[in-house]
Amino acid sequence: MLLRAHILRLPMFLWLLALANPVLAHKASDSFMYLDTDSGQFRIDVALRDLALLVPLDTNRDGEVTGGEFRQHRGAVLNAIEAGITLSTGNSACELQGEQWGISQHSDGAYAATRYQALCDGGQAPDRLEYHLLFEHDSLHRGLIQISTGETSSLAVAGPDSRTVDLRPSGRSGLWLSFTTFLQEGVVHLLIGLDHILFLLVLVLPASLTRNQPTTSPRLWLPSRAQVIELSAVVTAFTVAHSITLALAALKIVSLPIAWVETVIAASIVVAAVNVVWPVLGRRTWPLAFGFGLIHGFGFASVLSDLTSGTANLAVALAGFNVGVELGQLALLAICFPLLTLLAQATPLYQRALVPVILLGVVGVSLMWVWERIPAV
């Protein structure tokens, strides 16, 4: 009875999780910075929805921040941005002299774009950037930085645990640094993407089902050979598919509106969940994983595609990010799949009650996301 009570609470848990963490189902919070160390030109783009956490921009309280509302509070917005960024050389902070401001469009909506001239002591180039914008309000926020020196450019990431970025060529020279930096961001992006996690859950549920009777074997938790093969096919298909579109989108070969992508991602979860019960798209899960994995790849790419494609080590950053996504995915599966297998082998309630309840909760949450995202399309 206790197990059955917990099972019946699962859809409500999923629903509350989605309501409590709506950001997890959307593009991660990022700002985009572009610095030319030779000229001292510095630009930063911050999403209007993120700036609303710092400045009360939504004056009409309609849930949307417009360009007009930004212009109305421009002074406060610029003060908030400048308070969160410090460029320096040696032990002296550089002065940020404002030159231009306006609205820019990124894949996920409107951003406040401001351009500055960094004035450092002795006309030197800035060698360090300290970034702490929005971290107190959103620990998942990241500052993505493109650093240009002469004919070369590189990428870096500022986060809550890495707020200082070394701008000197010697401090950012290694391709390994770019690879590991974006590998970490790939892991984070996968783990905070609740929609991607639910899609993976739905894909692996059929592989966890067992046709064997409950057993008390000491190897109870181990999946069968057939289950491992089915799971491997699903993971491989999903990996190959999203790797293809992640590369195409990040390299700006193919570009899709992020609002459409997010809507289709949410809808794909609904379709995959329904297909478990009514396999209108077939009982083989790997083709479904490949087909919808192509769309999920565009969702993963949103964190990189807003940086310019001329960056010298973009390919390295892309590879690191993709590997990070895979490591995050494998870590989730390594924890969740044995537990699902154990439940499937230990109790008949798994297939008869727990799986239908999980699917019901996933469908409910995903339909809510579809409804939320359609008005933005």
Side-chain angles (χ1 to χ4, degrees):
M1 291 296 294
L2 183 59
L3 175 60
R4 184 172 300 177
H6 286 307
I7 287 173
L8 294 176
R9 291 192 185 103
L10 188 57
M12 183 59 69
F13 170 75
L14 291 172
W15 185 269
L16 292 175
L17 181 62
L19 291 176
N21 299 279
V23 68
L24 298 182
H26 296 270
K27 181 182 179 296
S29 170
D30 304 304
S31 67
F32 300 92
M33 291 172 278
Y34 310 85
L35 174 66
D36 187 322
T37 58
D38 293 335
S39 65
Q41 285 286 310
F42 176 71
R43 170 180 164 179
I44 177 170
D45 293 9
V46 185
L48 293 183
R49 65 175 185 277
D50 289 337
L51 287 171
L53 299 174
L54 304 175
V55 179
L57 297 180
D58 187 14
T59 51
N60 60 5
R61 299 183 179 181
D62 63 350
E64 299 289 337
V65 179
T66 65
E69 289 170 327
F70 162 65
R71 287 186 286 272
Q72 182 181 350
H73 300 86
R74 179 173 64 93
V77 168
L78 296 183
N79 288 338
I81 291 175
E82 291 163 14
I85 301 167
T86 302
L87 287 171
S88 57
T89 180
N91 296 320
S92 302
C94 304
E95 177 189 352
L96 289 178
Q97 179 177 289
E99 293 188 339
Q100 290 180 315
W101 63 271
I103 300 292
S104 66
Q105 289 295 325
H106 287 255
S107 62
D108 58 329
Y111 280 58
T114 56
R115 187 183 301 276
Y116 297 93
Q117 178 67 47
L119 303 176
C120 306
D121 286 351
Q124 299 182 67
D127 58 24
R128 188 173 67 256
L129 182 148
E130 295 179 16
Y131 182 87
H132 41 86
L133 188 68
L134 287 163
F135 292 143
E136 292 184 0
H137 299 271
D138 184 358
S139 62
L140 302 177
H141 176 75
R142 295 293 185 273
L144 304 183
I145 311 162
Q146 183 187 83
I147 310 161
S148 300
T149 303
E151 299 298 322
T152 64
S153 59
S154 60
L155 299 174
V157 179
D161 299 323
S162 54
R163 303 187 182 201
T164 301
V165 177
D166 193 338
L167 303 175
R168 296 169 297 180
S170 60
R172 53 184 169 87
S173 59
L175 294 179
W176 177 249
L177 178 61
S178 292
F179 180 84
T180 54
T181 296
F182 280 89
L183 183 148
Q184 178 182 356
E185 292 309 307
V187 173
V188 170
H189 192 70
L190 186 281
L191 295 180
I192 68 174
L194 185 57
D195 46 6
H196 300 300
I197 292 174
L198 289 188
F199 185 70
L200 281 173
L201 172 64
V202 171
L203 289 180
V204 303
L205 272 178
S208 70
L209 300 177
T210 177
R211 296 176 177 83
N212 299 327
Q213 295 296 321
T215 177
T216 57
S217 166
R219 294 169 59 84
L220 178 68
W221 65 275
L222 293 177
S224 68
R225 181 173 179 271
Q227 288 175 310
V228 171
I229 291 175
E230 184 176 356
L231 178 65
S232 299
V234 168
V235 172
T236 301
F238 186 66
T239 296
V240 171
H242 77 64
S243 297
I244 292 171
T245 49
L246 171 60
L248 291 175
L251 297 174
K252 300 188 184 298
I253 297 173
V254 178
S255 179
L256 296 179
I258 192 63
W260 278 106
V261 170
E262 288 188 341
T263 303
V264 174
I265 286 175
S268 73
I269 305 171
V270 177
V271 173
V274 171
N275 195 69
V276 175
V277 181
W278 294 290
V280 292
L281 299 179
R283 293 191 177 277
R284 291 192 302 172
T285 309
W286 72 263
L288 195 66
F290 184 86
F292 285 127
L294 294 172
I295 298 297
H296 284 247
F298 286 108
F300 289 131
S302 62
V303 73
L304 291 176
S305 61
D306 285 311
L307 289 175
T308 61
S309 58
T311 304
N313 61 353
L314 179 59
V316 175
L318 175 60
F321 187 82
N322 196 47
V323 171
V325 168
E326 298 315 314
L327 290 177
Q329 175 178 292
L330 292 175
L332 281 174
L333 293 177
I335 295 171
C336 295
F337 191 69
L339 293 177
L340 293 175
T341 302
L342 174 61
L343 284 171
Q345 294 177 347
T347 173
L349 280 178
Y350 178 78
Q351 187 163 341
R352 293 202 309 247
L354 182 56
V355 170
V357 168
I358 290 175
L359 294 174
L360 180 62
V362 169
V363 168
V365 170
S366 302
L367 286 175
M368 181 186 67
W369 289 337
V370 171
W371 178 257
E372 285 181 344
R373 299 174 188 187
I374 284 178
V377 174

